Amino acid sequence: MDGFRLGPSAADHVAVVDGDERSAAIAAASIVAKVVRDRTMRRLDSLFPGYGFSSHVGYITPRHSRIVRERGPCEIHRRSFQALCYLSEEEAAARLAAV
């Protein structure tokens, strides 16, 4: 695994810090994962136009945050955590000030 250990229910593995620099297999897996992610995001962009999935490919960018605040999250946005990009600028500032 690149970088960190997984939880106790994960299969046996070894965490390798900077694994993509030290292991050809980890580097190759990283490239494959990114290509698959980018293709998936382009497909999702055609299914959910207006969110810019093909341009930000899953990273929270200032533009994407603004779009989500304006339009609200669509059905593929994660809801398992309280992402600041889902909040108005005022709500996000209040949340950060409370930390």
Side-chain angles (χ1 to χ4, degrees), residues 26-38:
I26 292 174
S30 177
I31 292 167
V32 169
K34 289 173 184 165
V35 168
V36 169
R37 181 210 53 217
D38 291 353

Side-chain angles (χ1 to χ4, degrees), residues 9-84:
S9 62
D12 288 341
H13 65 283
V14 174
V16 180
V17 176
D18 296 325
D20 56 342
E21 295 176 12
R22 300 174 59 196
S23 165
I26 292 174
S30 177
I31 292 167
V32 169
K34 289 173 184 165
V35 168
V36 169
R37 181 210 53 217
D38 291 353
R39 288 180 181 164
T40 299
M41 295 306 291
R42 283 194 298 273
R43 289 184 185 117
L44 290 170
D45 189 63
S46 67
L47 295 172
F48 301 95
Y51 286 95
F53 291 129
S54 64
S55 63
H56 65 71
V57 294
Y59 292 99
I60 296 177
T61 64
R63 179 174 179 263
H64 178 64
S65 295
R66 180 182 48 78
I67 291 169
V68 173
R69 282 193 303 272
E70 290 170 1
R71 301 182 74 174
C74 72
E75 63 188 72
I76 64 166
H77 282 98
R78 291 189 292 172
R79 290 171 171 79
S80 60
F81 67 99
Q82 291 294 320
L84 294 178

